[in-house]
Amino acid sequence: MSIEIRNVSKIFNGFKAVNDVNLTVPSGELVALLGPSGSGKTTLLRIIAGLETPDQGSILFNGVDTTRRDVREREVGFVFQHYALFRHMTVYDNVAFGLTVKSKKNRPSKSEISDKVHRLLKLVQLEQLAKRYPSQLSGGQRQRVALARALAVEPQVLLLDEPFGALDAKVRQELRRWLRKLHDEIHVTSVFVTHDQDEALEVSDRIVVMNRGKIEQTGTPEEVYDSPANPFVYNFLGNVNLFHGRVHNGAAKIANISIDLPEYRQVPDSAAVAYVRPYDIEISRTRHSSDEIEANVRHIQGAGAVARFELERLDTLEVIEAELTKERYRELDLRAGDKVFIRPRNLRVFLGDYQI
Amino acid sequence: MALPELNFDKTECGTLRLILRGEWRLVNPLPSPQALKDILSSGEGITGAAFDTRELGDWDSGLLTFLLGVINQCALGKLSLDRTGLPSGVNRLLALATAVPERQGARRAGVRLPFLERVGGSAIDFWRSLLDMLDFIGEITLSFLRFFTGRARFRTSDMMLILQECSADALPIVSLISLLVGLILAFVGAIQLQLFGAGIYVADLVGIGTTRAMGAIMTGIIMAGRTGASFAARIGTMQVNEEIDALQTTGISPIDFLVLPRMIALAVMMPLLTLYADLMGILGGLIVGVLCLDQSIMEYYYETIRAVGLTNVWIGVFSGFVYGVLVALAGCMRGMQCGRSASAVGDATTSAVVTGIVSIVVATAIITVICNILRI
C-alpha cells in the first residue's frame, strides 16, 4: 500500500513540529526518516499512524484519504522505541493479542491463531521463548517480539519509531541486517524513524532527511550521500570539514586554493563554505605546491580500518578531521605535533556563511 | 609599569596592523575594540587585520576580551584575520573560548508574569481541564453503551484481577479504619450523652452515623488513596511506555480495555465494601458501649436495630456506589491524561487522589442536601 503525505503541518504550543511536508512512499518500499532530534520525524510517523492528527494537510493510503480515520481502523503496525510490550502477558499472548481481541465474527479460530503466532515467532527467531514474560528477555529479543506483534494483525503499513534506539551497538547492527532481510521477505510498505545515518544508509530503499519540521532531501542512500542537496544534509550524513572562503564571478578562493565554479558565474561576490569529507584530505610531509595548507597534527587515532587524524590549521586554528588508509599512515609515519601540508580534494562549495 | 597602548598601521596591501604595547591587564585602562570599528568605518580598502605584539608586556583575560571584540568586528566587516602575530598562549586560550558557541537563551533571566496574566492563565487552564473531563466522561459513556450492547472488548482475566484488587485486597485496611471510626464516634458521643444519662443512645448515634454517611465516606477515601492512585499509576505507566499507543494501533480502544473494567469493578465493589464498613463501624461502637458504658451486647444490638432503618443503609450503599464511580473516574482520567515522562506518573497519582477525595466530599454534600429536601 502506498502512502501519500500532502501539505501536512503540526503545531505544538506554537512550535512547528512538522511544517508543510509532502512525501510519497511507494508500495513495498522501506523508507527511512532521518534527522536530528526535534526535527519532527517521530511526529510525522505518529501522524501517519493516526496517533496524532495533523493541523493541516492530509494522509492518503492507496490514494484514499485517511486523515480522519481512527488509528484503530488504519491497519498499521507500529513498533515503538521502548518496545511497549504488555508486561503482564507472555510473549505468545503479546503476539496473539491483536488477534484474540478481535470481535467474534472477525476472530480466527484458536488453532489458526496459534499457527500464526508460532509462524511469526519463527520469523523473528524466538520460537522457544513463547512462554516467557517480556521482563525475562533482552532488549533485542523484546524488540523482535514487538515486531512480531505488529505484524500479527497483517498491517498494510509497518511503522517503526527508532526501533533500535535503545539497543547496544552490536545488537543494533545485527537487527538492522535482520530487518532488511525481513523486509525483503514480506515486502510490506515500511517507514522507520532514526537519527543514526549509518542505520538509514544501510537498511533503507530511500532516505528522507528532515530538519526543523521540513524535508531537506529525499533520495536513495547513494544519492543522498554522494550528492547532498545542501550543507545540512552534507553535514548530517557523516563527518565533514568546513573551509571558509569567497566566491567571485564563478571563481572560488578557499584558503590557498582556487576553483572554477561555472554555476556561480552570476554571483559577483559572496562568502562561501566548502565541504570536504575526511577521506578527501590529502596529507604530505613536504610542500608540493603553493595551494597546500599548513597544519599541525593534534591527535591520531590509529585503531580500526582507517587512521583518523585531528589536524589544526596554522592560519585559522580551525580543526580538520582527516582519514588515511593504514598503508599511507605507516608510509608517512606521523606523530602528534608534526607539521604537515594538507590539500583537500572533491570540495563541494555552497554559497553563504552557513552555520551548522 | 607601561600602560596598555593600541596603535594602528595600515600597510600597502590593505592589511591593518594592530600594534599592542604595554601591560594588558584588567586593572589598567584598556583600549576598546570600538577604536577599530571607527577606523574600519572611516578607512577604505582594508581587507584584513594582523597583530604586532613584539612590545607586549604582561597580559591577562583583559587582552582576550579585547581580542574577542576584534574578532567579532572582523567577522562583521568580513575581514580576514591573521593571528600569527599573537603569543601562542593567547591563541590557545582564544581557541578554547570560541570552541563552543554560547547557548541560545542562556543569559535570559526568569520572567515573572504579571498578576492578571497568571490569573487569566489559570482560568484558561481550569476551563480546559473541565472540557477534558467532559470529554472523558463522554468517552466512558460511549464505552458503557458498547459494553451493554456486547461490543466492548477487554480481557476477563484482567477484570478478575482488578475485582480482587479493589475488594478482597482492601478488606484489612477498610476493617481497621471503619472499626476505629466507629470507636471514635462512640467515644465522642458517649461523653456528651452521658451528661444527660442517655448513654444508651450511643448505639443510635453510631448506627445512623456509620450507615448513612461515615461508612461510605471512609471507604471512599480509602479507595481513593489506594485504588484510585493505583489506577492512575498503572494507566500512567502504560501511557509513558507507549503501551496505550500500542493498544490503539492494534485496533483496541484503551477506554474499553483499561478504563471500563476498572469503572465496573469499583462501581460493583464499593457498595459491598460500604456494607462491610458499616458492620465494622457498628462493631466499634459496640466495643465502646460494652466496655465503657456497661451495656450488654443484646441491649446495644436491639437499640441499633431499632434506630437504623433500611433507608439509612440504602442511602449509604448508594453513596458508596457514587463514590466508587467517582474514584475510578478520577484515577483513570488522571492516568490517561498522564504526560510522557516518569515524573508525570507521580503527578498523575497525586492528582488522582486529590480529585477523588474532593469529588467525594462534593458528592456527599449534594447527596445530603437532596436527602434533606426529600425528607429521608
Side-chain angles (χ1 to χ4, degrees):
Chain A
M1 183 152 80
S2 68
I3 308 169
E4 202 178 330
I5 299 164
R6 278 193 199 155
N7 308 96
V8 163
S9 296
K10 175 81 187 174
I11 300 168
F12 290 118
N13 296 331
F15 171 73
K16 278 205 164 177
V18 175
N19 190 356
D20 199 20
V21 164
N22 285 288
L23 179 68
T24 309
V25 180
S27 189
E29 262 198 10
L30 177 56
V31 171
L33 294 180
L34 176 67
S37 48
S39 58
K41 50 195 189 326
T42 297
T43 310
L44 186 59
L45 195 77
R46 290 174 66 89
I47 289 174
I48 298 175
L51 291 167
E52 308 274 1
T53 40
D55 292 327
Q56 248 171 46
S58 45
I59 306 284
L60 287 81
F61 282 5
N62 261 353
V64 183
D65 193 333
T66 51
T67 320
R68 300 277 152 229
R69 201 187 287 171
D70 195 89
V71 210
R72 283 169 254 153
E73 287 141 29
R74 284 205 195 183
E75 302 186 336
V76 295
F78 204 109
V79 177
F80 297 88
Q81 182 178 2
H82 297 289
Y83 331 123
L85 293 177
F86 305 123
R87 273 163 302 167
H88 57 295
M89 297 184 202
T90 60
V91 167
Y92 178 92
D93 287 341
N94 260 290
V95 178
F97 182 73
L99 302 170
T100 50
V101 293
K102 280 197 169 166
S103 61
K104 273 216 177 77
K105 57 178 190 289
N106 299 332
R107 191 193 305 158
S109 73
K110 269 218 158 116
S111 61
E112 276 170 356
I113 293 180
S114 164
D115 277 357
K116 188 162 192 185
V117 172
H118 283 293
R119 213 170 52 242
L120 279 166
L121 285 175
K122 201 169 175 177
L123 188 69
V124 299
Q125 300 155 4
L126 288 173
E127 236 186 338
Q128 67 287 3
L129 301 179
K131 292 211 170 58
R132 298 259 189 104
Y133 281 90
S135 55
Q136 297 167 311
L137 302 181
S138 73
Q141 289 169 334
R142 278 185 221 182
Q143 197 55 290
R144 281 186 278 164
V145 175
L147 199 61
R149 181 181 67 181
L151 291 173
V153 287
E154 288 176 7
Q156 304 287 327
V157 174
L158 184 61
L159 304 170
L160 305 105
D161 182 12
E162 305 210 11
F164 313 133
L167 304 171
D168 64 72
K170 182 108 175 116
V171 179
R172 202 146 75 189
Q173 194 103 37
E174 232 167 72
L175 277 187
R176 259 187 226 167
R177 301 221 176 95
W178 177 83
L179 175 68
R180 182 67 238 183
K181 225 179 84 211
L182 184 82
H183 185 263
D184 292 341
E185 275 172 41
I186 57 176
H187 271 297
V188 55
T189 311
S190 311
V191 180
F192 89 104
V193 158
T194 178
H195 58 253
D196 182 342
Q197 66 274 17
D198 292 336
E199 198 167 289
L201 291 170
E202 188 175 327
V203 175
S204 56
D205 294 320
R206 279 201 312 151
I207 294 182
V208 177
V209 185
M210 289 190 69
N211 183 31
R212 293 186 196 160
K214 283 199 164 280
I215 292 180
E216 299 275 353
Q217 191 176 5
T218 314
T220 63
E222 292 88 48
E223 278 168 17
V224 176
Y225 191 81
D226 293 334
S227 44
N230 55 39
F232 175 81
V233 180
Y234 214 111
N235 187 59
F236 197 72
L237 290 168
N239 289 338
V240 73
N241 292 302
L242 276 68
F243 291 89
H244 294 268
R246 298 196 78 78
V247 169
H248 187 69
N249 288 337
K253 184 146 166 49
I254 309 289
N256 311 331
I257 309 157
S258 301
I259 314 163
D260 269 342
L261 291 170
E263 69 265 36
Y264 293 140
R265 185 148 294 153
Q266 69 285 9
V267 179
D269 187 47
S270 165
V273 183
Y275 289 78
V276 186
R277 296 268 186 224
Y279 49 78
D280 280 329
I281 302 257
E282 286 172 26
I283 303 181
S284 53
R285 277 195 171 277
T286 50
R287 189 181 274 281
H288 299 290
S289 62
S290 61
D291 59 3
E292 284 170 339
I293 304 166
E294 274 182 73
N296 266 334
V297 179
R298 280 215 329 204
H299 183 73
I300 303 176
Q301 203 263 95
V306 289
R308 292 194 173 80
F309 292 81
E310 223 179 271
L311 309 165
E312 188 182 51
R313 278 173 72 169
L314 289 186
D315 47 356
T316 59
L317 297 175
E318 280 167 318
V319 174
I320 294 170
E321 283 176 52
E323 283 176 13
L324 288 185
T325 58
K326 273 284 165 71
E327 295 81 58
R328 181 80 182 131
Y329 170 46
R330 273 190 219 108
E331 201 182 311
L332 286 171
D333 189 30
L334 288 172
R335 300 258 186 283
D338 285 357
K339 189 172 179 182
V340 290
F341 297 91
I342 59 172
R343 192 192 144 88
R345 58 184 173 205
N346 295 335
L347 288 113
R348 181 82 198 258
V349 181
F350 293 99
L351 287 190
D353 206 6
Y354 187 86
Q355 289 292 323
I356 294 160
Chain B
M1 192 174 71
L3 286 178
E5 202 181 316
L6 174 67
N7 289 311
F8 297 100
D9 173 24
K10 208 171 131 187
T11 56
E12 298 87 61
C13 52
T15 308
L16 185 74
R17 191 183 294 278
L18 282 77
I19 305 166
L20 281 64
R21 287 199 189 91
E23 301 210 345
W24 283 66
R25 291 177 162 281
L26 281 172
V27 289
N28 296 331
L30 290 172
S32 135
Q34 189 66 31
L36 177 72
K37 192 180 174 187
D38 296 342
I39 291 213
L40 287 181
S41 52
S42 64
E44 278 111 49
I46 296 171
T47 58
F51 298 99
D52 179 349
T53 54
R54 276 169 294 181
E55 288 171 61
L56 181 68
D58 286 352
W59 53 269
D60 61 10
S61 45
L63 175 65
L64 290 170
T65 330
F66 168 79
L67 286 174
L68 281 176
V70 171
I71 290 171
N72 281 339
Q73 290 292 346
C74 288
L76 280 179
K78 307 219 160 101
L79 301 183
S80 69
L81 188 66
D82 183 6
R83 299 186 192 176
T84 38
L86 291 173
S88 65
V90 173
N91 264 334
R92 282 211 301 277
L93 281 172
L94 279 180
L96 264 183
T98 51
V100 182
E102 186 178 350
R103 215 174 83 200
Q104 290 279 311
R107 288 188 192 203
R108 190 183 50 214
V111 196
R112 194 174 157 78
L113 293 172
F115 175 73
L116 280 178
E117 203 173 329
R118 274 180 287 149
V119 171
S122 309
I124 292 171
D125 285 349
F126 179 74
W127 177 243
R128 279 210 190 111
S129 73
L130 213 63
L131 288 183
D132 284 350
M133 204 180 285
L134 283 177
D135 199 33
F136 191 74
I137 293 172
E139 281 191 55
I140 289 179
T141 314
L142 289 179
S143 176
F144 264 98
L145 285 180
R146 280 197 294 274
F147 174 67
F148 288 124
T149 52
R151 283 181 296 134
R153 284 167 290 167
F154 54 83
R155 297 194 343 155
T156 337
S157 57
D158 286 353
M159 175 88 196
M160 291 301 160
L161 271 176
I162 298 165
L163 274 176
Q164 182 194 339
E165 189 187 322
C166 51
S167 57
D169 291 357
L171 280 183
I173 187 164
V174 171
S175 315
L176 181 74
I177 302 283
S178 308
L179 191 76
L180 291 181
V181 169
L183 279 172
I184 295 164
L185 268 182
F187 267 121
V188 174
I191 294 165
Q192 306 301 322
L193 289 171
Q194 274 187 317
L195 290 177
F196 308 102
I200 184 64
Y201 289 112
V202 167
D204 297 43
L205 175 75
V206 173
I208 296 176
T210 26
T211 48
R212 207 177 161 110
M214 287 316 281
I217 293 178
M218 291 322 289
T219 320
I221 288 175
I222 294 166
M223 294 315 267
R226 211 185 154 273
T227 315
S230 111
F231 285 178
R234 185 69 62 82
I235 297 179
T237 318
M238 291 186 80
Q239 188 74 266
V240 172
N241 289 339
E242 298 179 309
E243 281 176 66
I244 291 184
D245 290 341
L247 277 176
Q248 286 192 310
T249 51
T250 347
I252 296 155
S253 155
I255 301 279
D256 289 6
F257 195 77
L258 298 172
V259 178
L260 191 62
R262 286 177 165 80
M263 296 282 298
I264 295 173
L266 258 191
V268 170
M269 283 306 169
M270 265 297 288
L272 297 180
L273 277 178
T274 306
L275 274 181
Y276 176 75
D278 291 349
L279 282 178
M280 280 296 156
I282 292 172
L283 188 67
L286 177 78
I287 293 170
V288 175
V290 171
L291 295 184
C292 306
L293 304 175
D294 291 332
Q295 294 167 355
S296 78
I297 295 179
M298 287 322 282
E299 200 182 351
Y300 192 92
Y301 170 73
Y302 282 117
E303 185 59 31
T304 306
I305 293 280
R306 196 191 59 75
V308 181
L310 205 53
T311 321
N312 290 323
V313 177
W314 278 125
I315 290 172
V317 169
F318 173 73
S319 308
F321 168 77
V322 172
Y323 303 157
V325 171
L326 289 175
V327 167
L329 199 69
C332 295
M333 182 176 73
R334 296 305 179 202
M336 293 298 284
Q337 290 170 346
C338 179
R340 295 218 173 262
S341 63
S343 64
V345 178
D347 296 343
T349 43
T350 314
S351 164
V353 175
V354 173
T355 316
I357 291 178
V358 168
S359 49
I360 285 174
V361 173
V362 172
T364 314
I366 294 173
I367 291 173
T368 314
V369 170
I370 290 176
C371 288
N372 232 339
I373 293 171
L374 296 177
R375 294 177 192 287
I376 45 176

